mmCIF file of all heavy atoms in Angstrom:
data_model
loop_
_atom_site.group_PDB
_atom_site.id
_atom_site.type_symbol
_atom_site.label_atom_id
_atom_site.label_comp_id
_atom_site.label_asym_id
_atom_site.label_seq_id
_atom_site.Cartn_x
_atom_site.Cartn_y
_atom_site.Cartn_z
ATOM 1 N N ASN F 1559 51.892 113.368 68.101
ATOM 2 C CA ASN F 1559 52.288 112.348 69.113
ATOM 3 C C ASN F 1559 51.203 111.346 69.341
ATOM 4 O O ASN F 1559 51.410 110.162 69.542
ATOM 5 C CB ASN F 1559 52.722 112.974 70.405
ATOM 6 C CG ASN F 1559 53.188 112.022 71.415
ATOM 7 O OD1 ASN F 1559 54.248 111.408 71.187
ATOM 8 N ND2 ASN F 1559 52.478 111.842 72.519
ATOM 9 N N PHE F 1560 49.985 111.798 69.351
ATOM 10 C CA PHE F 1560 48.812 110.895 69.443
ATOM 11 C C PHE F 1560 48.805 109.944 68.327
ATOM 12 O O PHE F 1560 48.581 108.745 68.585
ATOM 13 C CB PHE F 1560 47.528 111.720 69.508
ATOM 14 C CG PHE F 1560 46.255 110.907 69.780
ATOM 15 C CD1 PHE F 1560 46.025 110.408 71.057
ATOM 16 C CD2 PHE F 1560 45.315 110.704 68.780
ATOM 17 C CE1 PHE F 1560 44.945 109.625 71.365
ATOM 18 C CE2 PHE F 1560 44.180 109.953 69.084
ATOM 19 C CZ PHE F 1560 43.986 109.407 70.324
ATOM 20 N N ARG F 1561 49.101 110.375 67.203
ATOM 21 C CA ARG F 1561 49.181 109.478 66.047
ATOM 22 C C ARG F 1561 50.221 108.490 66.151
ATOM 23 O O ARG F 1561 50.194 107.185 65.853
ATOM 24 C CB ARG F 1561 49.350 110.196 64.655
ATOM 25 C CG ARG F 1561 49.538 109.381 63.473
ATOM 26 C CD ARG F 1561 48.380 108.441 63.270
ATOM 27 N NE ARG F 1561 48.537 107.659 62.000
ATOM 28 C CZ ARG F 1561 48.043 106.395 61.862
ATOM 29 N NH1 ARG F 1561 47.308 105.933 62.840
ATOM 30 N NH2 ARG F 1561 48.243 105.750 60.678
ATOM 31 N N ALA F 1562 51.457 108.907 66.642
ATOM 32 C CA ALA F 1562 52.537 108.012 66.804
ATOM 33 C C ALA F 1562 52.246 106.929 67.913
ATOM 34 O O ALA F 1562 52.522 105.729 67.738
ATOM 35 C CB ALA F 1562 53.796 108.813 67.271
ATOM 36 N N MET F 1563 51.528 107.280 68.996
ATOM 37 C CA MET F 1563 51.150 106.360 69.966
ATOM 38 C C MET F 1563 50.160 105.371 69.480
ATOM 39 O O MET F 1563 50.103 104.188 69.779
ATOM 40 C CB MET F 1563 50.675 107.082 71.213
ATOM 41 C CG MET F 1563 51.705 107.795 72.108
ATOM 42 S SD MET F 1563 51.146 108.356 73.635
ATOM 43 C CE MET F 1563 49.754 109.380 73.226
ATOM 44 N N GLU F 1564 49.235 105.861 68.583
ATOM 45 C CA GLU F 1564 48.238 105.003 67.980
ATOM 46 C C GLU F 1564 49.008 103.957 67.115
ATOM 47 O O GLU F 1564 48.591 102.736 67.071
ATOM 48 C CB GLU F 1564 47.381 105.785 67.047
ATOM 49 C CG GLU F 1564 46.262 105.057 66.398
ATOM 50 C CD GLU F 1564 45.375 105.900 65.519
ATOM 51 O OE1 GLU F 1564 45.860 106.901 64.935
ATOM 52 O OE2 GLU F 1564 44.176 105.626 65.461
ATOM 53 N N LEU F 1565 50.044 104.342 66.424
ATOM 54 C CA LEU F 1565 50.804 103.459 65.629
ATOM 55 C C LEU F 1565 51.491 102.271 66.500
ATOM 56 O O LEU F 1565 51.504 101.135 66.030
ATOM 57 C CB LEU F 1565 51.888 104.115 64.812
ATOM 58 C CG LEU F 1565 51.420 105.104 63.650
ATOM 59 C CD1 LEU F 1565 52.572 105.907 63.144
ATOM 60 C CD2 LEU F 1565 50.736 104.236 62.562
ATOM 61 N N ILE F 1566 52.026 102.742 67.642
ATOM 62 C CA ILE F 1566 52.619 101.790 68.525
ATOM 63 C C ILE F 1566 51.589 100.755 68.996
ATOM 64 O O ILE F 1566 51.774 99.535 69.048
ATOM 65 C CB ILE F 1566 53.268 102.457 69.773
ATOM 66 C CG1 ILE F 1566 54.386 103.347 69.251
ATOM 67 C CG2 ILE F 1566 53.780 101.423 70.761
ATOM 68 C CD1 ILE F 1566 55.079 104.127 70.351
ATOM 69 N N ASP F 1567 50.406 101.248 69.382
ATOM 70 C CA ASP F 1567 49.301 100.482 69.846
ATOM 71 C C ASP F 1567 48.934 99.389 68.741
ATOM 72 O O ASP F 1567 48.723 98.237 69.029
ATOM 73 C CB ASP F 1567 48.099 101.254 70.204
ATOM 74 C CG ASP F 1567 46.918 100.521 70.724
ATOM 75 O OD1 ASP F 1567 46.907 100.212 71.897
ATOM 76 O OD2 ASP F 1567 46.027 100.166 69.832
ATOM 77 N N ALA F 1568 48.906 99.871 67.471
ATOM 78 C CA ALA F 1568 48.443 98.932 66.361
ATOM 79 C C ALA F 1568 49.535 97.872 66.211
ATOM 80 O O ALA F 1568 49.304 96.731 65.949
ATOM 81 C CB ALA F 1568 48.298 99.762 65.118
ATOM 82 N N GLY F 1569 50.803 98.367 66.288
ATOM 83 C CA GLY F 1569 51.996 97.335 66.264
ATOM 84 C C GLY F 1569 51.964 96.345 67.349
ATOM 85 O O GLY F 1569 52.152 95.152 67.079
ATOM 86 N N HIS F 1570 51.694 96.771 68.595
ATOM 87 C CA HIS F 1570 51.632 95.839 69.691
ATOM 88 C C HIS F 1570 50.487 94.922 69.692
ATOM 89 O O HIS F 1570 50.659 93.659 69.830
ATOM 90 C CB HIS F 1570 51.629 96.582 71.003
ATOM 91 C CG HIS F 1570 52.955 97.188 71.386
ATOM 92 N ND1 HIS F 1570 53.079 98.243 72.255
ATOM 93 C CD2 HIS F 1570 54.197 96.891 71.151
ATOM 94 C CE1 HIS F 1570 54.334 98.487 72.469
ATOM 95 N NE2 HIS F 1570 55.060 97.735 71.747
ATOM 96 N N THR F 1571 49.238 95.410 69.454
ATOM 97 C CA THR F 1571 48.079 94.618 69.560
ATOM 98 C C THR F 1571 47.959 93.729 68.285
ATOM 99 O O THR F 1571 47.536 92.603 68.359
ATOM 100 C CB THR F 1571 46.804 95.405 69.717
ATOM 101 O OG1 THR F 1571 46.694 96.378 68.552
ATOM 102 C CG2 THR F 1571 46.828 96.224 70.989
ATOM 103 N N GLY F 1572 48.431 94.242 67.131
ATOM 104 C CA GLY F 1572 48.396 93.495 65.902
ATOM 105 C C GLY F 1572 49.305 92.276 65.936
ATOM 106 O O GLY F 1572 49.103 91.237 65.358
ATOM 107 N N THR F 1573 50.497 92.476 66.695
ATOM 108 C CA THR F 1573 51.498 91.424 66.701
ATOM 109 C C THR F 1573 51.255 90.453 67.953
ATOM 110 O O THR F 1573 51.443 89.244 67.746
ATOM 111 C CB THR F 1573 52.866 92.027 66.924
ATOM 112 O OG1 THR F 1573 53.025 93.010 65.761
ATOM 113 C CG2 THR F 1573 53.968 90.937 66.722
ATOM 114 N N TYR F 1574 50.944 90.981 69.000
ATOM 115 C CA TYR F 1574 50.869 90.232 70.347
ATOM 116 C C TYR F 1574 49.561 90.055 70.888
ATOM 117 O O TYR F 1574 49.331 89.427 71.912
ATOM 118 C CB TYR F 1574 51.864 90.918 71.349
ATOM 119 C CG TYR F 1574 53.225 91.187 70.755
ATOM 120 C CD1 TYR F 1574 53.643 92.440 70.617
ATOM 121 C CD2 TYR F 1574 54.067 90.082 70.433
ATOM 122 C CE1 TYR F 1574 54.982 92.694 70.150
ATOM 123 C CE2 TYR F 1574 55.274 90.383 69.870
ATOM 124 C CZ TYR F 1574 55.781 91.647 69.737
ATOM 125 O OH TYR F 1574 56.988 91.933 69.186
ATOM 126 N N GLY F 1575 48.457 90.579 70.244
ATOM 127 C CA GLY F 1575 47.120 90.484 70.739
ATOM 128 C C GLY F 1575 46.810 91.665 71.716
ATOM 129 O O GLY F 1575 47.737 92.310 72.199
ATOM 130 N N HIS F 1576 45.602 91.870 72.034
ATOM 131 C CA HIS F 1576 45.259 92.884 72.984
ATOM 132 C C HIS F 1576 45.514 92.424 74.402
ATOM 133 O O HIS F 1576 45.289 91.214 74.818
ATOM 134 C CB HIS F 1576 43.689 93.265 72.892
ATOM 135 C CG HIS F 1576 43.352 94.055 71.740
ATOM 136 N ND1 HIS F 1576 43.511 95.433 71.750
ATOM 137 C CD2 HIS F 1576 42.942 93.762 70.494
ATOM 138 C CE1 HIS F 1576 43.153 95.988 70.591
ATOM 139 N NE2 HIS F 1576 42.830 94.962 69.732
ATOM 140 N N PRO F 1577 46.119 93.393 75.257
ATOM 141 C CA PRO F 1577 46.475 92.938 76.636
ATOM 142 C C PRO F 1577 45.266 92.392 77.388
ATOM 143 O O PRO F 1577 44.211 92.973 77.219
ATOM 144 C CB PRO F 1577 47.046 94.292 77.213
ATOM 145 C CG PRO F 1577 47.498 95.029 76.034
ATOM 146 C CD PRO F 1577 46.575 94.691 74.910
ATOM 147 N N MET F 1578 45.561 91.462 78.189
ATOM 148 C CA MET F 1578 44.512 90.872 79.072
ATOM 149 C C MET F 1578 45.009 90.995 80.516
ATOM 150 O O MET F 1578 46.238 90.936 80.799
ATOM 151 C CB MET F 1578 44.321 89.455 78.734
ATOM 152 C CG MET F 1578 43.814 89.231 77.320
ATOM 153 S SD MET F 1578 43.821 87.434 76.841
ATOM 154 C CE MET F 1578 42.782 86.747 78.113
ATOM 155 N N PRO F 1579 44.122 91.080 81.483
ATOM 156 C CA PRO F 1579 44.517 91.130 82.911
ATOM 157 C C PRO F 1579 45.308 89.831 83.219
ATOM 158 O O PRO F 1579 44.830 88.733 82.956
ATOM 159 C CB PRO F 1579 43.130 91.172 83.668
ATOM 160 C CG PRO F 1579 42.235 91.860 82.776
ATOM 161 C CD PRO F 1579 42.605 91.345 81.407
ATOM 162 N N THR F 1580 46.595 90.051 83.682
ATOM 163 C CA THR F 1580 47.495 89.003 83.802
ATOM 164 C C THR F 1580 48.218 89.050 85.194
ATOM 165 O O THR F 1580 48.792 90.225 85.478
ATOM 166 C CB THR F 1580 48.544 88.931 82.649
ATOM 167 O OG1 THR F 1580 47.806 88.851 81.438
ATOM 168 C CG2 THR F 1580 49.434 87.710 82.808
ATOM 169 N N SER F 1581 48.295 88.052 85.874
ATOM 170 C CA SER F 1581 49.020 88.103 87.143
ATOM 171 C C SER F 1581 50.531 87.844 86.770
ATOM 172 O O SER F 1581 50.898 86.886 86.130
ATOM 173 C CB SER F 1581 48.647 86.903 88.094
ATOM 174 O OG SER F 1581 47.239 87.138 88.512
ATOM 175 N N VAL F 1582 51.372 88.736 87.296
ATOM 176 C CA VAL F 1582 52.860 88.654 87.046
ATOM 177 C C VAL F 1582 53.599 88.392 88.336
ATOM 178 O O VAL F 1582 53.465 89.152 89.280
ATOM 179 C CB VAL F 1582 53.312 89.980 86.435
ATOM 180 C CG1 VAL F 1582 54.812 89.857 86.067
ATOM 181 C CG2 VAL F 1582 52.481 90.329 85.277
ATOM 182 N N PRO F 1583 54.344 87.290 88.390
ATOM 183 C CA PRO F 1583 55.125 86.987 89.576
ATOM 184 C C PRO F 1583 56.236 87.929 89.804
ATOM 185 O O PRO F 1583 56.806 88.472 88.951
ATOM 186 C CB PRO F 1583 55.739 85.599 89.298
ATOM 187 C CG PRO F 1583 54.911 84.966 88.168
ATOM 188 C CD PRO F 1583 54.396 86.199 87.366
ATOM 189 N N LEU F 1584 56.370 88.342 91.098
ATOM 190 C CA LEU F 1584 57.482 89.195 91.509
ATOM 191 C C LEU F 1584 58.544 88.327 92.253
ATOM 192 O O LEU F 1584 59.538 88.954 92.721
ATOM 193 C CB LEU F 1584 56.865 90.218 92.512
ATOM 194 C CG LEU F 1584 55.880 91.182 91.942
ATOM 195 C CD1 LEU F 1584 55.472 92.177 92.980
ATOM 196 C CD2 LEU F 1584 56.401 91.967 90.693
ATOM 197 N N ASN F 1585 58.275 87.103 92.254
ATOM 198 C CA ASN F 1585 59.366 86.203 92.883
ATOM 199 C C ASN F 1585 60.308 85.706 91.795
ATOM 200 O O ASN F 1585 60.096 85.972 90.660
ATOM 201 C CB ASN F 1585 58.811 85.025 93.585
ATOM 202 C CG ASN F 1585 58.039 84.150 92.660
ATOM 203 O OD1 ASN F 1585 57.141 84.561 91.990
ATOM 204 N ND2 ASN F 1585 58.341 82.835 92.671
ATOM 205 N N VAL F 1586 61.264 84.920 92.129
ATOM 206 C CA VAL F 1586 62.310 84.384 91.212
ATOM 207 C C VAL F 1586 62.382 82.898 91.243
ATOM 208 O O VAL F 1586 61.985 82.248 92.259
ATOM 209 C CB VAL F 1586 63.759 84.974 91.412
ATOM 210 C CG1 VAL F 1586 63.707 86.468 91.277
ATOM 211 C CG2 VAL F 1586 64.274 84.534 92.746
ATOM 212 N N LYS F 1587 62.785 82.339 90.106
ATOM 213 C CA LYS F 1587 62.908 80.852 90.059
ATOM 214 C C LYS F 1587 64.327 80.511 89.999
ATOM 215 O O LYS F 1587 65.213 81.325 89.686
ATOM 216 C CB LYS F 1587 62.276 80.463 88.688
ATOM 217 C CG LYS F 1587 60.790 80.671 88.543
ATOM 218 C CD LYS F 1587 60.255 80.343 87.146
ATOM 219 C CE LYS F 1587 60.390 78.827 86.904
ATOM 220 N NZ LYS F 1587 59.721 78.561 85.614
ATOM 221 N N LEU F 1588 64.609 79.233 90.415
ATOM 222 C CA LEU F 1588 65.969 78.712 90.308
ATOM 223 C C LEU F 1588 66.601 78.733 88.878
ATOM 224 O O LEU F 1588 65.759 78.455 87.947
ATOM 225 C CB LEU F 1588 66.093 77.307 90.880
ATOM 226 C CG LEU F 1588 65.832 77.094 92.387
ATOM 227 C CD1 LEU F 1588 65.725 75.565 92.713
ATOM 228 C CD2 LEU F 1588 67.019 77.688 93.121
ATOM 229 N N GLY F 1589 67.796 79.054 88.741
ATOM 230 C CA GLY F 1589 68.394 78.967 87.395
ATOM 231 C C GLY F 1589 68.914 80.128 86.792
ATOM 232 O O GLY F 1589 68.813 81.273 87.356
ATOM 233 N N LYS F 1590 69.544 80.006 85.549
ATOM 234 C CA LYS F 1590 70.066 81.183 84.818
ATOM 235 C C LYS F 1590 69.078 82.198 84.475
ATOM 236 O O LYS F 1590 67.841 81.777 84.256
ATOM 237 C CB LYS F 1590 70.838 80.629 83.605
ATOM 238 C CG LYS F 1590 71.734 79.475 83.887
ATOM 239 C CD LYS F 1590 73.038 79.957 84.675
ATOM 240 C CE LYS F 1590 73.986 78.821 84.785
ATOM 241 N NZ LYS F 1590 75.223 79.232 85.514
#
Side-chain angles (χ1 to χ4, degrees):
N1559 183 65
F1560 186 69
R1561 175 58 179 151
M1563 292 192 298
E1564 182 181 34
L1565 291 172
I1566 297 174
D1567 180 87
H1570 282 158
T1571 58
T1573 306
Y1574 308 115
H1576 282 276
M1578 299 171 57
T1580 304
S1581 296
V1582 184
L1584 298 179
N1585 64 304
V1586 300
K1587 298 173 66 175
L1588 289 173
K1590 308 293 186 179

